[in-house]
């Protein structure tokens, strides 16, 4: 029997099995919650209302259900229960169902998502954070969300949390059982090139590593810069006592995974050791050379180096020891690059500064330094930081003007420290709009060789609100858009200076075999020269590691989509598999 309630069609029927066929396609059970553990482990009681508990008083199936009692108010959220995180795949279509009854009938429940953009309309991408309310009767009935406002439900990102909002009818008691989330399009392939996002692109898309490497770093990024650990003050806070551990982690992660690595930075006035101030100029110059030599000895395979950082805004405090203004007006910068060329003959030497992208006159002044360095073939690239205090408000026309000024030098441009919060105020929507409008201007310019974001996990970035992934792994709207853009043909633009498309390449794809997929219990991986494996959830969290073992036991993994990181000596390969 079909029951129409509001705009949602509800079906009174038996529970679906874990795999069925609809219009010739498999339907995969992604998550099911039957409360048979007798507790709410993993669930989050957001609002207690008149009570939230697992109960054996009444149930649709098995021994337990969850009991919700509304408070005396009439707000949906006065009693609210949130599911554990559910792994989803952007663009896939989902069906959500649950069994419920209201004691005495006359109940109203609504489902919502923990944040915007986790569910969207298939037809046009409209947000479906708040699903239509359901009239809950006095007998056990299965309620289904599949077509909502005339369009099916599409995942907007890689994670979903559902909220049962049951406080609309004051004092009403509900029993909920067998909450089920199903993927209606499991055979729908994700767009290629999304793990990491710039895989098989001619340009890199990177990020910083502050101290520890985030579990989901490789899901998104294929270039590494250490945020602070390479700065002179961080390395040698006490004279002749070197601290390398955090920088080692960033460098080793890049080299292990075949990512480009940028050293940041050698000469910068803002974070120099304080003890330099007590030395003579001769000693200061000697100490800087010793620092360069120590970096070169420890990290022989650096790809790019920020030799001088922020010469226009924070010139080195020891610049007089390095030649001061001198004949060129920038002799201290020239000396720094000469020495860097001597100690790092195989690295690409860059200058780096902020405030350039929004200021054409400053860009012209910046180019004056670049052209002085070009006279001795001392510089290989131009870094522009592109922080939110410039990116939020700069116009697209100004950006294009500045990029043209820099490109006229004939050198590659590295967008080295990108972050964005929003054009009028810090908000997820404003941040998304700025990314959508301005990121392509940078990425698609013919002289830009790559972009490095200056952090991506919200709450862990130096500029408040600049993260595009939340601490719990939820992707903000800007990240959802960025992944879609990077998976599109529009992002496949050439790099006229160097082709990086083989950074992470499936070099052994002809020999690599992974089966069965989907898998129930044991996953077999066969290929040449494989060093080890990691199983990651779809947000990038490491679930399991194995070494030189061709069979992985996955029986205890929850149903859903996972990433298999296959490690070789020189690179990694990322594949997806589905656990049934």
């Amino acid at each position: 029997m079909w029951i129409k309630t509001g705009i949602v069609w509800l079906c009174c029927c038996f529970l679906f099995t874990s795999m069925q066929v609809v219009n010739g396609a498999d339907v995969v059970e992604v998550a099911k919650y039957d409360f048979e553990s007798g507790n709410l482990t993993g669930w989050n009681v957001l609002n207690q209302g008149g009570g939230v508990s697992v109960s054996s008083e009444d149930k649709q199936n098995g021994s337990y259900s969850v009991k919700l009692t509304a408070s005396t108010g009439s707000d949906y959220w006065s009693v609210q229960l949130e599911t554990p995180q559910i792994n989803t795949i952007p663009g896939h279509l989902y069906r959500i169902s649950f069994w419920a009854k209201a004691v005495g009938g006359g109940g109203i429940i609504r489902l919502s998502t923990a944040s915007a953009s986790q569910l969207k309309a298939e037809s046009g991408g409209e947000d479906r954070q708040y699903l239509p309310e359901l009239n809950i009767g006095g007998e056990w009935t299965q309620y289904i969300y599949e077509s909502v406002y005339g369009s099916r439900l599409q995942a907007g990102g890689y994670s979903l949390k559902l909220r049962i909002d049951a406080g609309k009818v004051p004092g009403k008691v509900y029993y909920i059982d067998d909450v089920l989330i199903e993927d209606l399009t499991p055979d729908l392939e994700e767009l290629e090139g999304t793990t990491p996002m710039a895989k098989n692109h001619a340009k890199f898309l990177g990020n910083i590593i502050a101290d520890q490497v985030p579990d989901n770093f490789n899901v998104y990024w294929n270039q590494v810069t250490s945020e602070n650990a390479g700065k002179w003050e961080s390395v040698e806070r006490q004279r002749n006592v070197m601290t390398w551990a955090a920088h080692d982690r960033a460098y080793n992660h890049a080299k292990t995974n075949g990512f480009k690595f940028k050293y940041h930075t050698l000469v910068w006035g803002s974070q120099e050791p304080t003890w330099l101030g007590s030395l003579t100029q001769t000693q200061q110059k000697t100490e800087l050379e010793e620092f360069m030599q120590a970096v070169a000895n420890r990290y022989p395979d650096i790809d790019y180096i920020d030799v001088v950082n922020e010469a226009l805004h924070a010139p080195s405090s020891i610049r007089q020891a390095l030649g001061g203004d001198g004949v060129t007006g920038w002799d201290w910068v020239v000396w720094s690059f000469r020495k860097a060329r001597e100690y790092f003959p195989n690295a690409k030497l860059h200058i780096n500064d902020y405030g350039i992208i929004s200021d054409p006159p400053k860009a012209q002044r910046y180019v004056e330094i670049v052209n002085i360095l070009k006279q001795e073939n001392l510089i290989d690239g131009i870094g522009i930081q592109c922080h939110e205090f410039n990116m939020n408000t700069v116009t697209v026309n100004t950006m294009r003007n500045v990029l043209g000024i820099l490109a006229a030098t004939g050198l590659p441009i590295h967008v080295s420290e990108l972050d964005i919060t929003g054009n009028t105020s810090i908000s997820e929507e404003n941040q998304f709009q700025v990314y959508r409008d301005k990121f392509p201007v940078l990425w698609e310019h013919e002289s830009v060789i790559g972009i490095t974001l200056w952090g991506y996990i919200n709450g862990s970035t130096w500029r408040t609100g600049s993260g595009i992934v939340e601490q719990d792994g939820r992707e903000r709207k800007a990240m959802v858009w960025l992944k879609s853009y990077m998976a599109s043909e529009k992002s496949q633009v050439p790099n006229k200076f160097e082709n990086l498309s083989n950074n992470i390449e499936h070099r052994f794809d002809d020999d690599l075999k992974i089966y069965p997929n989907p898998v129930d219990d044991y996953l077999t991986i066969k290929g040449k020269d494989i060093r080890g494996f990691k199983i990651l959830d779809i947000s990038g969290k490491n679930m399991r590691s194995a070494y030189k073992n061709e069979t992985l036991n996955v029986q205890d993994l929850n149903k859903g989509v996972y990433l298999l990181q296959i490690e070789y000596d020189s690179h990694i390969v990322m594949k997806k598999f589905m656990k049934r």
Side-chain angles (χ1 to χ4, degrees):
M1 178 177 64
W2 290 91
I3 304 172
K4 186 180 181 184
T5 304
I7 306 177
V8 182
W9 285 94
L10 308 175
C11 176
C12 302
C13 54
F14 296 108
L15 275 176
F16 295 106
T17 59
S18 61
M19 181 72 72
Q20 62 172 321
V21 177
V22 176
N23 295 329
D26 289 337
V27 174
V28 172
E29 178 185 300
V30 176
K32 182 178 179 180
Y33 305 104
D34 57 14
F35 309 106
E36 291 305 295
S37 65
N39 59 59
L40 286 171
T41 300
W43 289 70
N44 187 15
V45 180
L46 299 177
N47 289 297
Q48 184 76 24
V52 177
S53 63
V54 174
S55 171
S56 60
E57 297 170 5
D58 201 346
K59 55 272 183 184
Q60 189 275 328
N61 189 36
S63 301
Y64 296 98
S65 66
V66 66
K67 180 181 180 181
L68 305 176
T69 304
S71 65
T72 56
S74 59
D75 294 324
Y76 279 119
W77 50 85
S78 66
V79 59
Q80 193 174 46
L81 181 63
E82 184 180 77
T83 68
Q85 179 170 303
I86 301 160
N87 293 335
T88 56
I89 301 175
H92 282 216
L93 302 176
Y94 290 85
R95 176 167 57 211
I96 301 164
S97 63
F98 63 96
W99 288 81
K101 66 176 291 185
V103 176
I108 296 176
I109 282 178
R110 178 192 68 184
L111 294 195
S112 60
T113 62
S115 57
S117 301
Q118 291 188 344
L119 288 176
K120 298 180 177 181
E122 177 191 18
S123 58
E126 297 91 348
D127 188 29
R128 291 289 183 260
Q129 182 172 9
Y130 301 103
L131 300 177
E133 66 180 30
L134 305 171
N135 294 327
I136 309 299
E139 301 296 331
W140 279 106
T141 304
Q142 189 185 36
Y143 298 88
I144 300 174
Y145 286 106
E146 182 173 346
S147 180
V148 175
Y149 301 124
S151 179
R152 292 188 294 179
L153 295 172
Q154 184 179 88
Y158 283 90
S159 64
L160 167 68
K161 287 185 178 181
L162 291 169
R163 293 175 175 177
I164 302 172
D165 305 329
K168 185 69 172 178
V169 180
K172 181 59 65 176
V173 177
Y174 303 90
Y175 293 94
I176 309 291
D177 207 352
D178 291 330
V179 180
L180 182 65
I181 296 88
E182 297 166 290
D183 187 340
L184 303 179
T185 51
D187 295 326
L188 178 65
E189 288 294 322
E190 271 192 286
L191 290 169
E192 290 297 321
T194 58
T195 52
M197 287 185 282
K199 182 188 73 173
N200 297 331
H201 286 61
K203 305 181 180 187
F204 60 77
L205 181 58
N207 219 300
I208 55 171
I209 293 175
D211 185 6
Q212 302 300 322
V213 182
D215 287 338
N216 58 3
F217 189 93
N218 289 9
V219 174
Y220 302 117
W221 319 111
N222 67 343
Q223 182 271 333
V224 177
T225 302
S226 178
E227 183 178 20
N228 290 304
K231 296 169 183 175
W232 193 359
E233 182 184 49
S234 299
V235 174
E236 197 178 2
R237 192 175 301 274
Q238 181 180 344
R239 190 178 183 186
N240 297 326
V241 178
M242 305 305 227
T243 302
W244 301 108
H247 195 273
D248 284 351
R249 279 189 288 272
Y251 176 83
N252 291 338
H253 187 78
K255 294 300 143 181
T256 298
N257 291 289
F259 299 162
K260 292 290 187 180
F261 182 81
K262 185 177 189 182
Y263 191 93
H264 178 75
T265 174
L266 297 176
V267 184
W268 184 30
S270 287
Q271 288 183 277
E272 292 171 323
T274 56
W275 48 263
L276 282 171
S278 64
L279 305 183
T280 66
Q281 289 188 358
T282 299
Q283 290 173 322
Q284 289 172 342
K285 182 188 288 188
T286 299
E287 287 292 338
L288 179 53
E289 283 203 63
E290 289 179 0
F291 174 55
M292 289 185 179
Q293 181 69 73
V295 173
N297 290 343
R298 193 169 188 90
Y299 307 111
D301 195 21
I302 293 171
D303 297 288
Y304 312 105
I305 300 177
D306 285 334
V307 178
V308 175
N309 192 47
E310 299 179 4
L312 294 175
H313 296 93
S316 174
S317 65
I318 64 169
R319 59 189 178 277
Q320 295 307 318
L322 311 182
D325 293 343
V327 176
T328 66
W330 297 98
D331 277 15
W332 67 275
V333 175
V334 174
W335 182 93
S336 300
F337 272 82
R338 285 174 182 159
K339 288 300 175 181
R341 186 68 86 198
E342 177 183 336
Y343 289 114
F344 305 94
N346 298 318
K348 303 291 188 183
L349 306 185
H350 287 201
I351 193 168
N352 193 47
D353 217 321
Y354 71 88
I356 307 300
I357 193 63
S358 58
D359 191 337
K362 188 174 289 183
Q364 295 282 9
R365 189 176 176 213
Y366 197 34
V367 165
E368 291 174 7
I369 306 175
V370 170
N371 285 333
I372 291 169
L373 294 169
K374 281 183 63 182
Q375 291 174 12
E376 296 185 35
N377 193 30
L378 294 174
I379 187 169
D380 304 305
I382 303 171
I384 51 173
Q385 294 182 13
C386 295
H387 285 301
E388 54 89 20
F389 43 79
N390 300 125
M391 288 297 296
N392 288 344
T393 55
V394 64
T395 66
V396 166
N397 285 339
T398 296
M399 291 174 65
R400 291 192 173 117
N401 184 11
V402 167
L403 290 170
I405 291 169
L406 302 177
T409 65
L411 293 175
I413 300 167
H414 177 198
V415 179
S416 57
E417 303 181 26
L418 176 67
D419 47 46
I420 291 169
T421 56
N423 51 9
T424 55
S425 62
I426 298 175
S427 74
E428 185 169 347
E429 180 65 24
N430 288 339
Q431 180 189 50
F432 151 68
Q433 291 176 5
V434 177
Y435 263 97
R436 179 196 61 197
D437 295 343
K438 298 176 184 178
F439 183 91
V441 177
L442 299 170
W443 182 262
E444 295 172 25
H445 193 278
E446 66 173 2
S447 290
V448 171
I449 59 168
I451 295 177
T452 303
L453 274 67
W454 210 246
Y456 70 101
I457 299 176
N458 220 21
S460 300
T461 59
W462 83 297
R463 305 299 291 183
T464 300
S466 63
I468 55 178
V469 176
E470 298 291 1
Q471 296 279 348
D472 63 1
R474 181 185 72 83
E475 294 172 347
R476 289 165 66 91
K477 195 170 182 179
M479 174 59 92
V480 173
W481 171 84
L482 183 58
K483 290 175 69 174
S484 175
Y485 171 78
M486 291 301 297
S488 70
E489 290 186 11
K490 193 174 182 182
S491 71
Q492 291 285 356
V493 290
N495 181 341
K496 69 179 184 179
F497 297 100
E498 49 184 322
N499 192 336
L500 306 179
S501 60
N502 292 327
N503 273 358
I504 300 181
E505 186 179 0
H506 294 203
R507 304 177 199 181
F508 301 107
D509 267 2
D510 290 342
D511 301 302
L512 183 60
K513 292 180 172 56
I514 302 169
Y515 60 89
N517 190 8
V519 59
D520 295 305
D521 42 26
Y522 290 93
L523 186 68
T524 298
I525 303 101
K526 290 187 176 182
K528 291 182 180 179
D529 302 321
I530 294 175
R531 181 164 56 87
F533 315 97
K534 288 181 181 177
I535 294 177
L536 314 175
D537 69 14
I538 206 69
S539 70
K541 181 180 179 181
N542 188 7
M543 307 296 292
R544 182 166 306 143
S545 298
Y547 302 94
K548 299 185 183 298
N549 184 356
E550 292 186 342
T551 302
L552 298 178
N553 186 343
V554 297
Q555 294 180 81
D556 60 333
L557 293 180
N558 293 327
K559 295 179 176 67
V561 176
Y562 292 86
L563 300 174
L564 180 65
Q565 180 174 302
I566 305 164
E567 300 174 353
Y568 298 88
D569 286 334
S570 62
H571 69 293
I572 65 170
V573 169
M574 302 291 286
K575 294 289 189 179
K576 298 186 187 73
F577 71 91
M578 180 171 287
K579 171 63 168 64
R580 289 191 291 208

